[in-house]
Amino acid sequence: MSPTVEQSVLARLVTDASHPVTISVTLGYSAADPLAVAMLFPPEVSLHDEGVTWVFARNLLDGGLRGEVGAGDVHLWPSSRTRTMVELSSPDGRALLEFETAALRSFLFLTYAAVPADVEDRDLDMDSALAELLRETR
């Protein structure tokens, strides 16, 4: 059984509204996919009945706690000493969220306790993973 980490955190959805919208986001990590973290958004804040899950690199989350990082659909940066911004973009739109840095750091610490950074890719078989990916795209 692979170690997993799951933690609910609050985020402020940045909108044009005068009152901030606070949502609960579930952060997830599994040793079965040691390079990735997931953010699960509940159905009430997504366009989908089952909610939406964003998966991106764990090292992206780590870097975003210290400086501006990201390419493509996910960008992270510290907005102050205590807050971290996460910007998610898709064909359906864009979301800008503000998290307490301490909550993200706590989650990240738990993921590194489950699978340290220096061993996260030790058991990956890149040739098999690439072959599987190529089969799926055909």
Side-chain angles (χ1 to χ4, degrees), residues 18-60:
S18 59
H19 298 290
V21 177
T22 301
I23 60 173
S24 180
V25 177
T26 302
L27 302 174
Y29 178 80
S30 172
D33 189 3
L35 299 175
V37 295
M39 285 187 175
L40 173 63
F41 296 90
E44 58 269 15
V45 297
S46 73
L47 300 174
H48 306 281
D49 292 339
E50 67 278 356
V52 171
T53 301
W54 281 79
V55 179
F56 54 92
R58 177 169 71 165
N59 66 0
L60 189 67

Side-chain angles (χ1 to χ4, degrees), residues 62-85:
D62 193 340
L65 298 178
R66 294 185 307 273
E68 188 170 345
V69 297
D73 298 341
V74 181
H75 295 262
L76 295 95
W77 66 93
S79 63
S80 71
R81 290 180 37 153
T82 61
R83 304 280 182 201
T84 299
M85 304 302 293

